[in-house]
Amino acid sequence: MSEIIVIGGGAAGCMAALTAAQRGATVTLLERNQKVGRKLYITGKGRCNLTNACDEEEFLRHVRTNPLFLYSSLCAFPPAATMELFQSLGVALKVERGRRVFPVSDKAAEVRQALLDYAAGAALVHDGAAGLLLE
């Protein structure tokens, strides 16, 4: 069994830690803020712009600096997969101007809670989990 430490409990750190835990790794997620996913509250002016409703190629055309850096990541987990994941976690989504995707509730807190629920779905709990320690 793998033991993994993820430094940073933002959106990317949460996704990395939770995915690794679901695949059987023992994961420790280290975050200096009091709340994991705290920075989600400031994305999209508090509404949490999750992704854009477009394919990978179009997404990359709008990346200003070094779009090729994201190419393999977007091919492995395209915007449609992001939308499917959050919808499977119970977050209803809407598409707004510019094909930006937000939760219908317009609340980043719902997205944060969905990530924590994703951890619970992997048989992990907050405060003393057997497979994931949130600090």
Side-chain angles (χ1 to χ4, degrees), residues 108-122:
E110 182 180 9
V111 174
R112 179 185 176 273
Q113 188 59 51
L115 287 171
L116 296 176
D117 292 347
Y118 186 48

PDB file of all heavy atoms in Angstrom, residues 108-122:
ATOM      1  N   ALA A 108     -19.988  28.564  -3.183  1.00  0.00           N
ATOM      2  CA  ALA A 108     -18.762  27.776  -3.164  1.00  0.00           C
ATOM      3  C   ALA A 108     -18.785  26.763  -2.026  1.00  0.00           C
ATOM      4  O   ALA A 108     -18.174  25.691  -2.133  1.00  0.00           O
ATOM      5  CB  ALA A 108     -17.551  28.695  -3.034  1.00  0.00           C
ATOM      6  N   ALA A 109     -19.498  27.069  -0.951  1.00  0.00           N
ATOM      7  CA  ALA A 109     -19.578  26.154   0.187  1.00  0.00           C
ATOM      8  C   ALA A 109     -20.151  24.802  -0.241  1.00  0.00           C
ATOM      9  O   ALA A 109     -19.769  23.756   0.295  1.00  0.00           O
ATOM     10  CB  ALA A 109     -20.429  26.764   1.298  1.00  0.00           C
ATOM     11  N   GLU A 110     -21.053  24.797  -1.209  1.00  0.00           N
ATOM     12  CA  GLU A 110     -21.629  23.537  -1.691  1.00  0.00           C
ATOM     13  C   GLU A 110     -20.561  22.689  -2.390  1.00  0.00           C
ATOM     14  O   GLU A 110     -20.527  21.467  -2.240  1.00  0.00           O
ATOM     15  CB  GLU A 110     -22.791  23.811  -2.642  1.00  0.00           C
ATOM     16  CG  GLU A 110     -23.455  22.555  -3.131  1.00  0.00           C
ATOM     17  CD  GLU A 110     -24.614  22.796  -4.077  1.00  0.00           C
ATOM     18  OE1 GLU A 110     -24.829  23.951  -4.511  1.00  0.00           O
ATOM     19  OE2 GLU A 110     -25.291  21.813  -4.393  1.00  0.00           O
ATOM     20  N   VAL A 111     -19.667  23.339  -3.124  1.00  0.00           N
ATOM     21  CA  VAL A 111     -18.589  22.628  -3.808  1.00  0.00           C
ATOM     22  C   VAL A 111     -17.615  22.061  -2.782  1.00  0.00           C
ATOM     23  O   VAL A 111     -17.191  20.904  -2.873  1.00  0.00           O
ATOM     24  CB  VAL A 111     -17.868  23.555  -4.809  1.00  0.00           C
ATOM     25  CG1 VAL A 111     -16.658  22.881  -5.419  1.00  0.00           C
ATOM     26  CG2 VAL A 111     -18.847  24.004  -5.894  1.00  0.00           C
ATOM     27  N   ARG A 112     -17.268  22.854  -1.792  1.00  0.00           N
ATOM     28  CA  ARG A 112     -16.371  22.382  -0.729  1.00  0.00           C
ATOM     29  C   ARG A 112     -16.977  21.182  -0.028  1.00  0.00           C
ATOM     30  O   ARG A 112     -16.308  20.179   0.206  1.00  0.00           O
ATOM     31  CB  ARG A 112     -16.097  23.500   0.270  1.00  0.00           C
ATOM     32  CG  ARG A 112     -15.189  23.063   1.399  1.00  0.00           C
ATOM     33  CD  ARG A 112     -15.026  24.166   2.454  1.00  0.00           C
ATOM     34  NE  ARG A 112     -14.224  23.682   3.552  1.00  0.00           N
ATOM     35  CZ  ARG A 112     -14.716  23.034   4.604  1.00  0.00           C
ATOM     36  NH1 ARG A 112     -16.009  22.805   4.703  1.00  0.00           N
ATOM     37  NH2 ARG A 112     -13.924  22.614   5.566  1.00  0.00           N
ATOM     38  N   GLN A 113     -18.253  21.263   0.307  1.00  0.00           N
ATOM     39  CA  GLN A 113     -18.911  20.158   0.987  1.00  0.00           C
ATOM     40  C   GLN A 113     -18.942  18.916   0.108  1.00  0.00           C
ATOM     41  O   GLN A 113     -18.775  17.793   0.592  1.00  0.00           O
ATOM     42  CB  GLN A 113     -20.334  20.536   1.420  1.00  0.00           C
ATOM     43  CG  GLN A 113     -20.991  19.495   2.290  1.00  0.00           C
ATOM     44  CD  GLN A 113     -20.204  19.216   3.567  1.00  0.00           C
ATOM     45  OE1 GLN A 113     -19.844  20.129   4.303  1.00  0.00           O
ATOM     46  NE2 GLN A 113     -19.927  17.945   3.832  1.00  0.00           N
ATOM     47  N   ALA A 114     -19.108  19.102  -1.189  1.00  0.00           N
ATOM     48  CA  ALA A 114     -19.101  17.964  -2.115  1.00  0.00           C
ATOM     49  C   ALA A 114     -17.747  17.266  -2.091  1.00  0.00           C
ATOM     50  O   ALA A 114     -17.685  16.028  -2.135  1.00  0.00           O
ATOM     51  CB  ALA A 114     -19.445  18.425  -3.528  1.00  0.00           C
ATOM     52  N   LEU A 115     -16.664  18.035  -2.008  1.00  0.00           N
ATOM     53  CA  LEU A 115     -15.334  17.427  -1.923  1.00  0.00           C
ATOM     54  C   LEU A 115     -15.178  16.640  -0.622  1.00  0.00           C
ATOM     55  O   LEU A 115     -14.621  15.550  -0.608  1.00  0.00           O
ATOM     56  CB  LEU A 115     -14.236  18.494  -2.039  1.00  0.00           C
ATOM     57  CG  LEU A 115     -14.046  19.074  -3.427  1.00  0.00           C
ATOM     58  CD1 LEU A 115     -13.084  20.260  -3.369  1.00  0.00           C
ATOM     59  CD2 LEU A 115     -13.548  18.022  -4.401  1.00  0.00           C
ATOM     60  N   LEU A 116     -15.703  17.181   0.472  1.00  0.00           N
ATOM     61  CA  LEU A 116     -15.642  16.458   1.741  1.00  0.00           C
ATOM     62  C   LEU A 116     -16.511  15.205   1.685  1.00  0.00           C
ATOM     63  O   LEU A 116     -16.146  14.160   2.218  1.00  0.00           O
ATOM     64  CB  LEU A 116     -16.062  17.375   2.895  1.00  0.00           C
ATOM     65  CG  LEU A 116     -15.140  18.572   3.144  1.00  0.00           C
ATOM     66  CD1 LEU A 116     -15.698  19.458   4.248  1.00  0.00           C
ATOM     67  CD2 LEU A 116     -13.728  18.126   3.472  1.00  0.00           C
ATOM     68  N   ASP A 117     -17.658  15.305   1.023  1.00  0.00           N
ATOM     69  CA  ASP A 117     -18.521  14.129   0.843  1.00  0.00           C
ATOM     70  C   ASP A 117     -17.823  13.077  -0.018  1.00  0.00           C
ATOM     71  O   ASP A 117     -17.996  11.882   0.191  1.00  0.00           O
ATOM     72  CB  ASP A 117     -19.854  14.522   0.201  1.00  0.00           C
ATOM     73  CG  ASP A 117     -20.716  15.360   1.129  1.00  0.00           C
ATOM     74  OD1 ASP A 117     -20.423  15.450   2.340  1.00  0.00           O
ATOM     75  OD2 ASP A 117     -21.696  15.952   0.623  1.00  0.00           O
ATOM     76  N   TYR A 118     -17.054  13.538  -0.986  1.00  0.00           N
ATOM     77  CA  TYR A 118     -16.272  12.636  -1.836  1.00  0.00           C
ATOM     78  C   TYR A 118     -15.323  11.823  -0.963  1.00  0.00           C
ATOM     79  O   TYR A 118     -15.175  10.617  -1.147  1.00  0.00           O
ATOM     80  CB  TYR A 118     -15.512  13.484  -2.850  1.00  0.00           C
ATOM     81  CG  TYR A 118     -14.742  12.760  -3.928  1.00  0.00           C
ATOM     82  CD1 TYR A 118     -15.299  11.737  -4.673  1.00  0.00           C
ATOM     83  CD2 TYR A 118     -13.442  13.151  -4.232  1.00  0.00           C
ATOM     84  CE1 TYR A 118     -14.590  11.116  -5.692  1.00  0.00           C
ATOM     85  CE2 TYR A 118     -12.719  12.536  -5.244  1.00  0.00           C
ATOM     86  CZ  TYR A 118     -13.305  11.517  -5.972  1.00  0.00           C
ATOM     87  OH  TYR A 118     -12.590  10.912  -6.973  1.00  0.00           O
ATOM     88  N   ALA A 119     -14.751  12.461   0.038  1.00  0.00           N
ATOM     89  CA  ALA A 119     -13.883  11.744   0.975  1.00  0.00           C
ATOM     90  C   ALA A 119     -14.687  10.741   1.787  1.00  0.00           C
ATOM     91  O   ALA A 119     -14.256   9.610   1.995  1.00  0.00           O
ATOM     92  CB  ALA A 119     -13.184  12.731   1.899  1.00  0.00           C
ATOM     93  N   ALA A 120     -15.860  11.133   2.217  1.00  0.00           N
ATOM     94  CA  ALA A 120     -16.709  10.223   2.982  1.00  0.00           C
ATOM     95  C   ALA A 120     -17.122   9.040   2.116  1.00  0.00           C
ATOM     96  O   ALA A 120     -17.218   7.913   2.596  1.00  0.00           O
ATOM     97  CB  ALA A 120     -17.936  10.964   3.504  1.00  0.00           C
ATOM     98  N   GLY A 121     -17.336   9.278   0.835  1.00  0.00           N
ATOM     99  CA  GLY A 121     -17.683   8.213  -0.089  1.00  0.00           C
ATOM    100  C   GLY A 121     -16.559   7.209  -0.245  1.00  0.00           C
ATOM    101  O   GLY A 121     -16.772   6.083  -0.680  1.00  0.00           O
ATOM    102  N   ALA A 122     -15.364   7.609   0.110  1.00  0.00           N
ATOM    103  CA  ALA A 122     -14.211   6.716   0.060  1.00  0.00           C
ATOM    104  C   ALA A 122     -13.970   6.076   1.433  1.00  0.00           C
ATOM    105  O   ALA A 122     -12.887   5.637   1.741  1.00  0.00           O
ATOM    106  CB  ALA A 122     -12.972   7.489  -0.381  1.00  0.00           C
TER     107      ALA A 122
END
